[in-house]
Amino acid sequence: MEKDAPVIYGLEFQARALSAQTAEQEAVRFLVGTQSLKFSNNQVHLVELNEETGNLKTQIFQHPIGEIWSIQASPTEAEKFITCYNTLTDEGTCQMKGALWKIPSSQDINDIIPLEKLADIDTTPYGNDLKTITYHPTDSKKAVSVVDNNFVLWDLSFKPQAVTVGTLASKGQPRFTNGKWNPHSTTNQFVTLNENNVRGWDFRDPKEPVWTIINAHSQIIRDLDFNSNRQYYLATCGDDGYMKFWDIRNPTEPVMSKIEHSHWVWSIRINRFHDQLVLTSSSDSRVILCSAASISSEPFGHMVSMEEGASMEETCTKEKLEDGVIGKYEEHEDSVYAVEWSSADPWTFASLSYDGRLVLNKVPRKYKYQILL
């Protein structure tokens, strides 16, 4: 069979928060957070794919304090995660807040179980417009919150404590739209998005950005992702419909720029194991899988030993994966706000649309074999 059938899971409520269970290396698992307008109804779903049968096993947990806008799994402790959620204050107004949670050890998968709340992450001293709280790539005791025009490094060892604060100071009261750790640079660097600009900051001296990409897109940038295998390469996407790839050593022009969607692009993810593979999701209800092989860490494919007298040129030509679209996925009927690669299987990915539809797909076997063989 050339193409694996998608596996679809429907949630009762609307949703836009998705995370692979990063610390789980054996099973394909994803966390999904809901956005019910009745705050007490919100849930976190833990969805596991049985790769042999294609069946799903799910557990549902109560998140009764608000609608989830962001969910981040711990990089080292599979049972822990962070949510950013919208909730009602005592004054009756809405407020974005953050919290650290633990999945309870109960084995009863038939009931909706309450989550164990470990701690609040109080970002309110730094602003009201909390966008995300993202874990350090390898250290579950560190996280960064992005709120208003501040990014705050937190120590989560005991009660969450703010350690370092960086601020974007400029005219017009700018606000960050997103942010992510740079997995390179000894993980001292954090990258922020505001409007159509990208900035890299060093926590050792966060007063000024260490590099900047001004006007990276013509409209608001929604997401970014780093190439884990190439130190200076990152990808961005935004409301102009483009995905762009950058070398931060030369930020004046993208090294590659493509427009494959017909509306805003909300999420972009580079495969951590095979960085030729790039996923995007959009308000056009589609997920697109592209090859960016020419700027990957393996531009000529996976180098295999030459046999039967084949030359290096022949081997490279035979294995080369061309740039371009290699998969279009149209199982969604609403805006697809999030897409994530599995941390356990490099060929499996999940996408989530606002109507609560989670779809699990696989890289087409043709391209999988082209990369591996």
Side-chain angles (χ1 to χ4, degrees):
M1 185 174 65
E2 177 63 27
K3 185 177 180 181
D4 293 287
V7 181
I8 299 175
Y9 175 66
L11 286 77
E12 181 181 355
F13 304 113
Q14 295 169 324
R16 65 188 295 160
L18 173 68
S19 175
Q21 195 178 40
T22 316
E24 175 55 64
Q25 300 295 316
E26 301 299 325
V28 175
R29 290 181 186 162
F30 295 92
L31 293 165
V32 185
T34 67
Q35 282 200 324
S36 170
L37 293 176
K38 186 175 181 181
F39 289 162
S40 60
N41 284 345
N42 280 288
Q43 303 166 344
V44 171
H45 293 234
L46 176 61
V47 181
E48 179 179 333
L49 174 68
N50 184 319
E51 294 187 80
E52 292 184 0
T53 65
N55 295 330
L56 295 178
K57 182 174 77 173
T58 61
Q59 286 183 276
I60 305 175
F61 304 95
Q62 296 172 0
H63 187 280
I65 56 176
E67 54 178 10
I68 303 169
W69 283 77
S70 170
I71 189 166
Q72 287 275 329
S74 164
T76 59
E77 301 170 283
E79 72 281 4
K80 293 183 181 179
F81 61 92
I82 291 170
T83 61
C84 298
Y85 59 93
N86 195 21
T87 191
L88 283 175
T89 65
D90 294 336
E91 292 76 29
T93 59
C94 288
Q95 173 73 56
M96 288 293 296
K97 294 186 177 183
L100 176 63
W101 304 87
K102 183 178 180 181
I103 295 172
S105 56
S106 172
Q107 300 300 309
D108 188 352
I109 63 173
N110 296 315
D111 293 330
I112 301 178
I113 306 166
L115 289 165
E116 181 181 347
K117 187 178 182 183
L118 299 179
D120 290 306
I121 304 174
D122 185 12
T123 62
T124 53
Y126 308 99
N128 296 315
D129 191 17
L130 176 63
K131 293 298 187 183
T132 187
I133 303 176
T134 176
Y135 274 107
H136 183 283
T138 58
D139 185 352
S140 61
K141 302 303 181 185
K142 295 179 181 178
V144 175
S145 62
V146 177
V147 54
D148 282 8
N149 62 330
N150 300 302
F151 58 96
V152 185
L153 175 63
W154 295 85
D155 181 352
L156 304 179
S157 300
F158 299 102
K159 182 181 178 181
Q161 298 286 337
V163 177
T164 306
V165 181
T167 302
L168 176 61
S170 65
K171 297 178 182 178
Q173 297 180 321
R175 290 188 174 187
F176 293 127
T177 52
N178 208 340
K180 184 166 285 190
W181 288 85
N182 183 343
H184 310 290
S185 303
T186 62
T187 55
N188 286 313
Q189 195 176 101
F190 191 75
V191 180
T192 60
L193 303 177
N194 79 292
E195 297 178 347
N196 55 353
N197 307 310
V198 189
R199 290 177 171 86
W201 309 78
D202 193 315
F203 279 117
R204 293 166 294 187
D205 186 16
K207 297 182 180 64
E208 296 290 337
V210 291
W211 55 264
T212 303
I213 307 175
I214 299 296
N215 296 323
H217 289 250
S218 62
Q219 298 181 47
I220 290 174
I221 306 174
R222 294 293 177 180
D223 198 17
L224 79 155
D225 198 27
F226 272 88
N227 186 327
S228 298
N229 303 318
R230 295 200 73 181
Q231 183 172 355
Y232 301 105
Y233 280 68
L234 64 83
T236 57
C237 64
D239 285 5
D240 58 4
Y242 277 91
M243 59 174 164
K244 296 186 178 184
F245 299 85
W246 305 87
D247 182 341
I248 60 177
R249 296 168 298 182
N250 181 24
T252 55
E253 293 289 338
V255 294
M256 181 184 288
S257 181
K258 289 183 174 294
I259 183 166
E260 304 293 353
H261 289 281
S262 59
H263 210 265
W264 304 340
V265 185
W266 282 96
S267 183
I268 188 165
R269 291 291 181 269
I270 302 172
N271 193 297
R272 289 192 301 130
F273 301 96
H274 306 290
D275 55 316
Q276 305 97 320
L277 302 174
V278 183
L279 287 166
T280 52
S281 66
S282 166
S283 298
D284 65 8
S285 306
R286 294 193 301 170
V287 174
I288 292 181
L289 173 64
C290 283
S291 164
S294 65
I295 58 171
S296 72
S297 58
E298 294 179 347
F300 300 110
H302 182 69
M303 296 303 293
V304 295
S305 59
M306 292 180 292
E307 298 178 359
E308 299 180 0
S311 67
M312 178 66 76
E313 182 180 354
E314 289 170 335
T315 302
C316 292
T317 302
K318 178 183 174 183
E319 300 299 333
K320 185 176 180 180
L321 182 66
E322 298 294 334
D323 292 347
V325 175
I326 59 177
K328 293 184 179 180
Y329 302 88
E330 300 182 340
E331 294 88 8
H332 294 283
E333 298 176 356
D334 206 338
S335 295
V336 189
Y337 282 122
V339 66
E340 294 285 350
W341 291 102
S342 165
S343 58
D345 175 23
W347 311 108
T348 300
F349 58 91
S351 53
L352 178 67
S353 52
Y354 189 58
D355 55 5
R357 180 176 295 184
L358 178 74
V359 182
L360 277 65
N361 270 298
K362 289 184 178 290
V363 174
R365 297 184 187 188
K366 170 185 174 181
Y367 300 108
K368 174 181 176 179
Y369 297 144
Q370 197 169 346
I371 290 171
L372 289 179
L373 297 180

